[in-house]
Amino acid sequence: LRVPAVSAALFFDADVVLLRNPFASLPANLPALDMLYQRHEHGQAKKINSGQLLMRSPRLARAAAMLQPQVTRAKQSLDQDVISRYVSNASGFSVGHLPSAFASHCW
């Protein structure tokens, strides 16, 4: 998000393979939120699924990068647990879900 023309960054799990540009599959009418994430389908509505994150806030993207050492050192915390705690405790970030069609799209 430091490049002047960049307005968003997509973060994916390591087991995701991209064969095409995923930005082309994003609907034009996405809500203008700091972060959109893959809806968690396993009954944990408040937990962020970090399989797919679309970040539009440079401040949130920098914070997520700084949180990475906590994830690496943690024996029991997953990256989604760390970012969920951070977003719920930090004020001023707006978050929501990526459309289901995007989250299950084959690129």
Side-chain angles (χ1 to χ4, degrees):
L1 294 177
R2 289 184 181 178
V3 178
V6 174
S7 61
L10 277 168
F11 295 84
F12 292 96
D13 273 347
D15 61 353
V16 174
V17 175
L18 300 176
L19 302 174
R20 292 187 294 253
N21 177 4
F23 283 98
S25 300
L26 285 169
N29 63 345
L30 280 176
L33 301 173
D34 294 320
M35 182 177 72
L36 295 161
Y37 60 93
Q38 182 179 346
R39 183 180 302 273
H40 206 290
E41 300 295 340
H42 300 292
Q44 299 173 346
K46 294 185 179 183
K47 190 175 189 178
I48 291 175
N49 183 337
S50 60
Q52 298 176 3
L53 298 174
L54 173 67
M55 289 198 186
R56 293 181 172 146
S57 164
R59 188 169 62 97
L60 183 55
R62 280 192 298 276
M66 290 188 320
L67 291 169
Q68 188 57 39
Q70 292 181 30
V71 173
T72 305
R73 286 193 303 264
K75 300 242 188 275
Q76 296 176 337
S77 289
L78 299 172
D79 54 347
Q80 56 201 27
D81 295 330
V82 172
I83 196 74
S84 291
R85 281 193 302 271
Y86 181 79
V87 169
S88 66
N89 293 332
S91 62
F93 292 120
S94 56
V95 298
H97 297 117
L98 284 165
S100 298
F102 178 80
S104 62
H105 192 75
C106 181
W107 300 296

